[in-house]
Amino acid sequence: MIIYPAIDILGGKCVRLFKGRYDKVKKYFDDPLKVALKFVQDGAEFLHIIDLDGAKEGRPVNCEKIIQIARTFNMPIQVGGGIRDYQVAKTYLEGGINRLIFGTSAVKNPPLISEILANFPPDSVAISIDVDKGQVATDGWLQKSDLSPKSLIRKFRKIGVYQFIVTDINKDGTMNGPNFDLYEGLADCEIDLLAAGGISSLDDLKKLESLGLSGGIVGKAIYEGDINLKSAISCMKSGLAKRIIPCLDICDGRVVKGMNFRNLQDAGDPVDLSKLYCEMGADELIFLDITATNEKRKTLVKLVSRIAENISIPFTVGGGISSIEDIDALLKAGADKVSICSAAFRDPSLVEKAARKFGSQCIVISVDCAWNKDFWEIYVKGGSEATGADALSFAKKMASLGAGELLVNSLDRDGTCEGYDIELLKTISSVVNIPIIASSGAGCRLDFLKALTDGNADGALAANLFHYNKITIPEIKNYLKSNNIAIRI
Amino acid sequence: MIAIIDYNSGNVASVSNALKKLGKEHVLTKDADEIRQAERVIFPGQGRARFAMDQLEKYSLIPVIQNLKVPFLGICLGLQLLSNFSEEDDISCLEILNGDVKKFPETVKIPQIGWNKVRSKGKSALFKDIPDYSYFYFVNSYYYLGQSVMATSNYGIEFAAAVSRDNFFATQFHPEKSGEVGLKLLNNFCEL
């Protein structure tokens, strides 16, 4: 669903009306252009601009100002207010406005709409239906008609309009939440429906999305700070959820836990634990074979088959993978992805070959690194051997060779519970355009939030935190959700 | 009997495991006759478009799939291959769906990996008892753009999450990896 931040212009200034009343007006900013700039910086995808003077007078009043905004920012804009004849419509559409909003003139003058649609693309027109107690209101909400919203929608569908903005004027500017029943009642109209009026929280937007609306126009809630436009846009834009990933270290076919590979304790059967984590809401699992010797490889393949038979979420297997044959055996046994570390450093062509043969989506590269006071340096052999190589160049190289995902592992933070290395995550995610998974250092819920927001990671991994039950997956997920992170619950 | 077309695609084992969990008898096969006689056909897919089309060609399965009349479920690349043409490898596909396969825009991380919300358009038996905006697991760099879309998701842009045309159904996500809700969808398919 697209969020349309609203700019209402009255007397040349940016204002909001209360319930559409011209006698209850609050001025927010002097310069609409500056407001537009702020919205653009926050990532707005479409601006909604209303010439309130125009709506009142029945002719465009702030036309030049609005076209100036369109010329300044090369982005989609819809404009309403006082557009009553074809010449005005043409001026706007040729001046860089993408869509015109018609209320009153549409009710009184359907041939105007047909004329515009005959000369401009079908999405150049949106019919705005202002609803006052079930009836359509016109003339800047000053007069009522005897039409119902549905009959008006039907009428304009017939002449080729498919974008409709429906506003409950008793909700507009009230911050009481939109009239959900009104929109639910229009769900069977097969139109692109934009809601306006009373949207006052991210939850309102989410609920509108769930009712099938294609857009929500937000005004006062942004100006009053109840909706943070930037985070609302990033939340509504993509439905892709951030992933919480438990990591299970495998030794001789059992899960082991312990700090820094010392005093390892048996933590149980991998299949039993996997099922448990799945039930708790893990989005994915990673198994790292810490023994990783050739003779034990066969045990691992058998274990992977057993895991694949028992869980129905994706899982990655890593540890000592060094050849196409290794990868083939693990994927055939049912692993969704393999994680490669030392071998990718030693022989980058392995990554290229593997991506070509199996697809990028199943090739994860583990970027194990530590800060050496000049740069993040790559380590191999389970973090025991420094290479002198720069992690950022390595990450870029891996992405260009076809890696599908990077597991970013900070050796400085490993086992510390001091939080993920946010600088490292941020830097790596700025140089590659593939998903990255944060690893090492998680100690509390806030660490996950930081990795997924500031660090721009797509998923966050933890091991002992989960194994020792210091924090549960549902606790983390609920916390992230309450912080407006897209999360699967 | 359900036939899973086994043309050396990556996720055949996962689909088979999921059907085992549902207690549905099935066979992995690339044999044209066996596929023609099946009551249902699942067409998994993972990896590259050209490799997959080459495999179908090699086993003479292209006309077999095109002429199927029983319920058919394509998964991931198995959806994309039903299109007219794929931008991945610039290759002609099975031409069962009227649309093409495009790459995601550069504004998002590619591939899309993870759980995304799926919104079904109208009522479909495949999504029976599955709430709108349920999360399914996706792994894709390309998406289908064209007719017969029955469910959508958003990743930088709105894209086809599932399609259906006559007896042909297909999902861009992996139901076999989407936990309980994915198993539900597979079960719905088995009951079509």
Side-chain angles (χ1 to χ4, degrees):
Chain A
M1 193 175 91
I2 293 178
I3 301 175
Y4 293 77
I7 300 173
D8 288 7
I9 307 173
L10 184 67
K13 314 251 192 275
C14 181
V15 304
R16 301 303 304 166
L17 301 184
F18 179 76
K19 289 190 181 179
R21 290 173 56 175
Y22 282 80
D23 56 342
K24 290 202 173 177
V25 52
K26 182 169 175 184
K27 190 192 91 177
Y28 283 93
F29 298 98
D30 285 332
D31 187 357
L33 193 71
K34 281 191 184 147
V35 180
L37 172 65
K38 173 77 173 73
F39 290 162
V40 172
Q41 285 170 341
D42 283 347
E45 297 161 277
F46 220 118
L47 296 181
H48 172 87
I49 304 180
I50 299 296
D51 180 359
L52 284 174
D53 300 298
K56 202 173 168 185
E57 294 188 21
R59 61 175 183 87
V61 176
N62 294 293
C63 180
E64 275 174 35
K65 200 161 253 160
I66 293 169
I67 287 177
Q68 189 196 352
I69 294 174
R71 292 214 171 114
T72 311
F73 310 104
N74 186 24
M75 71 169 319
I77 297 179
Q78 59 182 25
V79 173
I83 307 167
R84 305 285 165 96
D85 62 55
Y86 183 72
Q87 211 44 51
V88 174
K90 196 164 171 263
T91 308
Y92 271 127
L93 291 170
E94 287 178 351
I97 302 299
N98 302 66
R99 189 186 296 156
L100 301 178
I101 304 166
F102 294 92
T104 311
S105 54
V107 178
K108 292 180 183 163
N109 188 9
L112 169 64
I113 306 303
S114 302
E115 194 182 356
I116 296 169
L117 290 176
N119 292 292
F120 292 96
D123 62 345
S124 328
V125 170
I127 301 298
S128 174
I129 304 182
D130 299 329
V131 180
D132 183 4
K133 300 187 187 77
Q135 298 298 316
V136 176
T138 59
D139 276 331
W141 299 352
L142 302 174
Q143 286 177 20
K144 264 195 226 176
S145 75
D146 52 4
L147 279 164
S148 79
K150 254 193 180 168
S151 62
L152 199 60
I153 287 172
R154 258 184 248 122
K155 191 171 159 187
F156 284 98
R157 277 290 286 140
K158 278 189 197 141
I159 60 168
V161 178
Y162 64 91
Q163 317 255 4
F164 292 86
I165 300 169
V166 175
T167 308
D168 183 331
I169 64 173
N170 293 304
K171 293 283 186 180
D172 199 46
T174 63
M175 305 283 282
N176 284 337
N179 185 346
F180 294 113
D181 295 340
L182 173 64
Y183 301 118
E184 212 165 354
L186 299 173
D188 57 350
C189 288
E190 296 187 345
I191 52 169
D192 275 353
L193 184 58
L194 278 66
I199 299 172
S200 48
S201 68
L202 190 56
D203 283 342
D204 287 347
L205 288 164
K206 285 181 182 165
K207 185 154 182 208
L208 289 170
E209 184 179 47
S210 75
L211 291 175
L213 277 88
S214 69
I217 297 165
V218 189
K220 194 166 188 175
I222 296 173
Y223 294 101
E224 294 288 335
D226 293 84
I227 289 179
N228 178 318
L229 182 61
K230 196 173 181 178
S231 63
I233 286 169
S234 73
C235 182
M236 302 299 292
K237 211 174 196 170
S238 160
L240 192 70
K242 301 282 188 180
R243 290 171 275 159
I244 300 300
I245 308 169
C247 176
L248 294 88
D249 288 332
I250 305 290
C251 184
D252 296 333
R254 300 284 292 177
V255 177
V256 290
K257 59 183 180 182
M259 295 298 177
N260 304 327
F261 296 120
R262 279 186 290 272
N263 308 318
L264 293 180
Q265 297 166 269
D266 186 283
D269 176 61
V271 174
D272 293 342
L273 266 173
S274 304
K275 281 185 177 169
L276 184 69
Y277 284 131
C278 285
E279 278 164 28
M280 294 181 95
D283 295 306
E284 204 173 305
L285 296 168
I286 294 187
F287 298 89
L288 289 181
D289 181 16
I290 60 171
T291 44
T293 57
N294 281 331
E295 62 270 23
K296 283 172 183 164
R297 180 78 53 202
K298 286 190 189 104
T299 330
L300 180 67
V301 172
K302 269 190 206 154
L303 173 63
V304 168
S305 307
R306 210 155 66 80
I307 294 165
E309 281 164 21
N310 283 281
I311 65 165
S312 50
I313 63 167
F315 68 96
T316 303
V317 179
I321 294 168
S322 58
S323 68
I324 292 289
E325 292 71 36
D326 289 346
I327 301 170
D328 193 46
L330 292 168
L331 294 179
K332 279 217 175 98
D336 298 277
K337 309 182 227 179
V338 292
S339 169
I340 312 171
C341 183
S342 306
F345 183 81
R346 247 188 349 257
D347 176 18
S349 75
L350 173 68
V351 177
E352 196 175 11
K353 276 182 241 158
R356 210 182 306 130
K357 186 164 164 65
F358 306 105
S360 289
Q361 82 288 338
C362 58
I363 308 300
V364 181
I365 301 300
S366 183
V367 180
D368 295 5
C369 59
W371 179 250
N372 69 8
K373 298 200 168 59
D374 290 317
F375 58 89
W376 281 287
E377 184 178 358
I378 291 286
Y379 279 68
V380 291
K381 297 187 179 165
S384 63
E385 193 178 302
T387 62
D390 170 36
L392 299 186
S393 328
F394 179 69
K396 274 195 259 185
K397 187 170 179 184
M398 290 297 114
S400 70
L401 290 174
E405 189 161 78
L406 300 178
L407 182 64
V408 180
N409 201 358
S410 157
L411 301 171
D412 300 318
R413 298 299 175 95
D414 197 26
T416 63
C417 291
E418 285 170 4
Y420 299 102
D421 189 335
I422 303 298
E423 273 310 306
L424 172 65
L425 292 170
K426 204 195 290 182
T427 314
I428 290 194
S429 59
S430 71
V431 298
V432 296
N433 195 37
I434 57 175
I436 68 168
I437 305 300
S439 169
S440 299
C444 65
R445 324 182 284 188
L446 183 65
D447 295 335
F448 288 85
L449 180 64
K450 280 188 183 161
L452 300 173
T453 52
D454 300 344
N456 202 15
D458 301 277
L461 171 154
N464 287 326
L465 202 59
F466 294 140
H467 303 330
Y468 287 105
N469 242 323
K470 284 187 188 160
I471 186 165
T472 67
I473 296 169
E475 274 177 287
I476 294 168
K477 288 191 140 186
N478 287 327
Y479 172 75
L480 292 171
K481 194 169 176 147
S482 69
N483 280 280
N484 296 327
I485 303 295
I487 210 91
R488 182 184 71 112
I489 289 189
Chain B
M1 182 68 84
I2 302 168
I4 301 177
I5 303 179
D6 181 8
Y7 63 110
N8 304 323
S9 153
N11 59 337
V12 171
S14 309
V15 175
S16 170
N17 281 330
L19 291 184
K20 268 184 220 159
K21 262 172 243 155
L22 292 169
K24 303 290 179 189
E25 263 191 77
H26 59 277
V27 54
L28 304 182
T29 178
K30 51 175 82 73
D31 179 77
D33 283 332
E34 202 164 17
I35 294 168
R36 272 192 218 104
Q37 282 153 22
E39 288 158 14
R40 281 181 180 73
V41 175
I42 298 183
F43 182 44
Q46 203 170 55
R48 296 293 291 255
R50 181 175 298 280
F51 175 79
M53 284 305 292
D54 286 350
Q55 296 293 308
L56 293 180
E57 177 88 55
K58 184 169 145 194
Y59 303 124
S60 313
L61 292 179
I62 292 174
V64 177
I65 294 174
Q66 285 167 330
N67 293 314
L68 282 173
K69 295 286 174 255
V70 296
F72 173 100
L73 180 68
I75 296 173
C76 194
L77 183 63
L79 180 158
Q80 299 181 359
L81 294 182
L82 300 182
S83 70
N84 289 329
F85 182 83
S86 174
E87 232 177 48
E88 180 185 32
D89 301 327
D90 286 330
I91 190 174
S92 289
C93 299
L94 295 167
E95 298 175 354
I96 290 168
L97 296 173
N98 192 9
D100 295 336
V101 171
K102 312 243 173 230
K103 194 163 191 180
F104 276 125
E106 289 292 320
T107 50
V108 290
K109 293 187 182 184
I110 298 173
Q112 164 179 229
I113 298 183
W115 299 79
N116 205 333
K117 285 184 274 187
V118 172
R119 182 186 160 207
S120 62
K121 293 179 154 186
K123 307 256 179 290
S124 159
L126 198 60
F127 283 89
K128 187 173 164 261
D129 299 331
I130 294 174
D132 250 4
Y133 294 96
S134 291
Y135 277 107
F136 286 89
Y137 189 77
F138 288 83
V139 182
N140 59 318
S141 301
Y142 293 80
Y143 67 97
Y144 169 79
L145 185 69
Q147 293 176 7
S148 315
V149 175
M150 70 157 159
T152 58
S153 289
N154 193 313
Y155 189 59
I157 47 157
E158 198 87 354
F159 70 94
V163 295
S164 72
R165 196 195 147 208
D166 306 326
N167 57 316
F168 289 92
F169 296 84
T171 62
Q172 181 59 64
F173 52 81
H174 288 271
E176 79 281 11
K177 282 290 165 182
S178 296
E180 289 303 316
V181 69
L183 292 176
K184 175 85 210 158
L185 186 136
L186 284 173
N187 198 56
N188 285 345
F189 172 72
C190 295
E191 285 173 4
L192 283 177

